[in-house]
Amino acid sequence: MTNNNPVVSVIITTYNREKSLGRAIKSVLKQSYCNIELIVIDNGSTDGTRAVIQSYANSFKIKYIYQRDQNRYIYALNEGINNAEGKYIAVLDDDDFWCDEDKTKKQVSFLEKNTDYVLVGGGLIGIDQGGEEIARYLLPEKDADIKKTILISNTLAHTTVLYRKDAWEKAGGYDEGVDWGLWLRMGKEGKFYNMQEFFIVYTGHARGNPGYLEKKYTRWEWLKINIGLKKKHKSDYPGYRRALLFCWIRYFYSFLPFRLPLKRELWSLLFKIRKL
């Protein structure tokens, strides 16, 4: 793998994840696509995270950026991309990992051939923190189908996506809506596509939100952000009323115990509701 004139910049933000970060980094290094640069933003870790990064830096050049405020996930993402040299951007969470070694190669090929598309995503496999599989699913494939439901629920899995850096710039980068808000703005610049393949193993969290949201937002705050996104883009995408309903359903769903079998059944039901 070489970093000469990188085409793809991979951004990993991390905070006290010494036990899982190495797995995430390794999945990037195993990619068959060669033109990759890796940027790791450390949000003030106090454990052995730095040592994990250094152990891989001995054999692969990693841009390491340390910041003391661990609650600034959005800032960390934007900071990483501002330091990126790539034409394309991919984001990977520190407790997830890519399960397809050809992921980047397939996605770069697609975007190079289809210049009217701003991003390409894929499917994911969800596991709990004990490594037990919760679900696996593929998201809507074509642009029209993605945009038909994207106001109802995020139909692009953040850490499966590869997107154009210039589209990120035009959309104004990440804000409090994180990836969902970014997609809603990017969708006005170009087309979306989800490959019908599994690209990532995603670790679920007990509160139903990714770790970075647990640090920054309460459930109620995240609900208000979601409702705000829907109101802001209700004239850009269809399904505004259904989107509000689904938002409230998911809010109450998040209070269920993570390992409860009923919650797994409801997870499938939620996906059926958003496709109606």
Side-chain angles (χ1 to χ4, degrees):
M1 187 176 291
T2 177
N3 278 342
N4 293 328
N5 301 316
V7 173
V8 174
S9 297
V10 180
I11 314 297
I12 298 179
T13 66
T14 188
Y15 174 69
N16 284 349
R17 286 274 172 77
E18 61 177 331
K19 294 182 179 179
S20 60
L21 177 60
R23 182 179 61 180
I25 292 176
K26 191 179 297 184
S27 74
V28 176
L29 303 187
K30 286 184 176 180
Q31 288 293 296
S32 61
Y33 190 77
C34 293
N35 293 332
I36 292 178
E37 73 166 351
L38 178 58
I39 302 173
V40 179
I41 312 293
D42 185 349
N43 295 326
S45 295
T46 57
D47 63 355
T49 292
R50 184 190 292 265
V52 172
I53 297 169
Q54 289 176 338
S55 70
Y56 288 95
N58 292 331
S59 57
F60 181 78
K61 184 178 179 181
I62 298 175
K63 287 185 179 179
Y64 176 67
I65 301 173
Y66 182 86
Q67 58 181 33
R68 295 185 180 279
D69 188 350
Q70 65 265 32
N71 292 319
R72 301 177 70 186
Y73 175 75
I74 298 166
Y75 172 83
L77 285 176
N78 288 328
E79 180 71 7
I81 299 171
N82 282 327
N83 281 275
E85 299 177 27
K87 177 180 179 180
Y88 301 112
I89 303 295
V91 173
L92 181 60
D93 289 338
D94 56 4
D95 57 346
D96 303 335
F97 61 95
W98 289 336
C99 56
D100 184 341
E101 295 182 4
D102 294 324
K103 170 191 179 294
T104 308
K105 182 178 181 180
K106 294 172 183 175
Q107 292 179 310
V108 169
S109 177
F110 178 87
L111 290 176
E112 289 288 287
K113 293 176 182 177
N114 299 279
T115 56
D116 52 337
Y117 283 76
V118 292
L119 62 77
V120 55
L124 62 157
I125 300 168
I127 61 173
D128 62 21
Q129 294 180 67
E132 181 180 354
E133 184 173 323
I134 304 165
R136 58 174 63 202
Y137 53 92
L138 298 171
L139 296 164
E141 179 180 8
K142 297 180 180 179
D143 179 68
D145 294 327
I146 295 171
K147 290 178 178 176
K148 180 181 178 181
T149 55
I150 197 169
L151 196 63
I152 300 171
S153 183
N154 192 346
T155 43
L156 293 159
H158 193 196
T159 50
T160 71
V161 168
L162 184 74
Y163 59 81
R164 300 181 188 277
K165 184 179 179 181
D166 60 0
W168 168 85
E169 292 171 341
K170 291 177 182 178
Y174 289 94
D175 61 14
E176 65 178 7
V178 200
D179 54 312
W180 198 355
L182 182 63
W183 309 151
L184 290 169
R185 296 191 301 278
M186 274 190 179
K188 295 185 285 185
E189 300 293 333
K191 294 181 179 180
F192 297 149
Y193 186 75
N194 273 318
M195 292 185 171
Q196 300 302 286
E197 303 178 52
F198 295 105
F199 285 155
I200 193 165
V201 176
Y202 167 83
T203 305
H205 290 264
R207 289 177 57 185
N209 287 329
Y212 62 82
L213 293 181
E214 290 186 17
K215 295 172 190 173
K216 187 170 181 62
Y217 304 120
T218 64
R219 290 186 182 94
W220 179 249
E221 288 170 338
W222 186 234
L223 174 68
K224 290 192 292 183
I225 289 171
N226 277 337
I227 291 175
L229 284 175
K230 299 175 197 311
K231 288 182 177 179
K232 182 177 180 180
H233 294 279
K234 65 181 180 180
S235 61
D236 300 321
Y237 303 95
Y240 174 64
R241 291 184 179 179
R242 282 181 295 151
L244 287 180
L245 174 61
F246 186 80
C247 191
W248 281 102
I249 291 174
R250 186 160 187 171
Y251 171 70
F252 290 114
Y253 162 88
S254 70
F255 287 91
L256 292 175
F258 192 71
R259 290 182 177 272
L260 194 65
L262 175 62
K263 187 166 185 180
R264 296 184 185 180
E265 295 176 10
L266 288 176
W267 180 259
S268 298
L269 178 61
L270 288 176
F271 279 94
K272 291 179 182 178
I273 291 173
R274 78 178 185 186
K275 291 178 181 178
L276 294 177

